[in-house]
Amino acid sequence: MGALKAGAIAEEELCEIEDCACPTCGSCSGMFTANSMNCLTEVIGLSLPGAATVPAVYSKRIRLAKQTGERIVELVKEGITPSDIVTGRSVTNAITADMALGCSTNTILHLAAICHEAGIKFDLSMVNEVSGRTPNICKLAPAGSHHVQDLDAAGGIQAVLKELGELIDTGCLTVSGTVAQNLEKVKYIGRDVIRPKDDPYSKTGGLAVLYGNLAEKGAVVKRSAVAPNMLRFTGKAKVFDGEEQAIEAIYGGKIQKGDVVVIRYEGPAGGPGMREMLSPTSAIAGMGLDADVALITDGRFSGATRGSAIGHISPEAADDGLIAYVEEGDLIEIDIPAKKLNLLVDEETIQKRRSAGRKPPARQLSGYLARYSRLVSSADSGAVFKK
């Protein structure tokens, strides 16, 4: 759509793309959110080896479904429950694989929520800690040219874990024995898709958590999908109170090279519900601006998002985060290697803006939606209900 609005393609070409985009059943074939969570489910040990990457149309998918049902019955008889499998150690394995694969930013949101449910401590700083020691050895769409069916042919998630070696805790329990027992069965690693860990795409992981006055509790970016020239970037804010405003401005040609698009009041409470900002990021990419324009939001992204797109800003605008006080033309500093995200406005001006109060968009909420908005936490804790 962005390319169409920019005049880069004709409407006939757009129609052809739409007609051919989803040729069969199954999830999108990139390392987007659905596939990312499938992969991490297998890493944690809650699904059978190989289950994460088998295409929906393969007979193996039907066989796995039957084997899964059989194994569930056995697990009940053995008295093994999810809480025996989901532990701090297995979650660390998941984060490690996440960094190696360059998964969707949404994985961090989901892992935080899973840890909350399981009673496991989760801190966003763990992501940078694990990323610092984990090489990015796969570049699947949108970061690269490979897709999930290519990963499956290269040995799947078990081959990735085998390549990561000592970075993985192989003593963890899974639904099919220990990680070590599963990895004994790995016979092949396809090197076109899974790089050796001593020859990675990058020495650090695919995701990064940024901190600064704009994200005191953190913000998440898919570093592996950011153009090198955008890893360090300072630009002028174009501010929008919601996705629809931003889309209108992008399609209207009001976003220029060097801008930072700020979309606020789209967090868990502010949305409410934390919509994914796929349409704005897709529009920016389609118009050829993803290597020259950044986007920051307290909302979240589709795993298909590429470019300097920073989400999950916490505290969110509805929770009185500084993003609520950004004004048009303010300078915003993004430094992904240094893990920084800052509003370059002096403290005195910030305090004056806070004293004047914020002006959230009017939301006509009632019933359960209003209750959800009051009770939900910011993204840093997984958008779970406050105690």
Side-chain angles (χ1 to χ4, degrees), residues 158-159 161-162 168 170 178-186:
Q158 298 303 311
L161 298 182
K162 184 88 168 184
I168 295 296
T170 58
T178 65
V179 173
Q181 289 170 328
N182 293 335
L183 294 185
E184 286 175 3
K185 301 169 186 175
V186 176

Side-chain angles (χ1 to χ4, degrees), residues 97 100-101 137-138 151 155-165 194:
L101 291 164
I137 58 175
C138 293
L151 177 60
I157 291 305
Q158 298 303 311
V160 172
L161 298 182
K162 184 88 168 184
E163 179 57 35
L164 290 172
I194 305 169

Side-chain angles (χ1 to χ4, degrees), residues 51-110:
T53 55
V54 178
V57 296
Y58 282 20
S59 298
K60 186 178 179 181
R61 174 60 65 193
I62 298 172
R63 293 198 298 273
L64 266 169
K66 183 178 178 65
Q67 292 162 3
T68 295
E70 292 172 341
R71 185 58 189 143
I72 287 169
V73 174
E74 293 167 358
L75 288 166
V76 171
K77 291 178 179 178
E78 294 168 14
I80 297 174
T81 65
S83 58
D84 296 319
I85 295 170
V86 182
T87 65
R89 292 162 59 207
S90 65
V91 169
T92 299
N93 278 350
I95 298 173
T96 302
D98 195 335
M99 298 305 108
L101 291 164
C103 291
S104 164
T105 52
N106 285 323
T107 56
I108 304 305
L109 191 69
H110 293 317

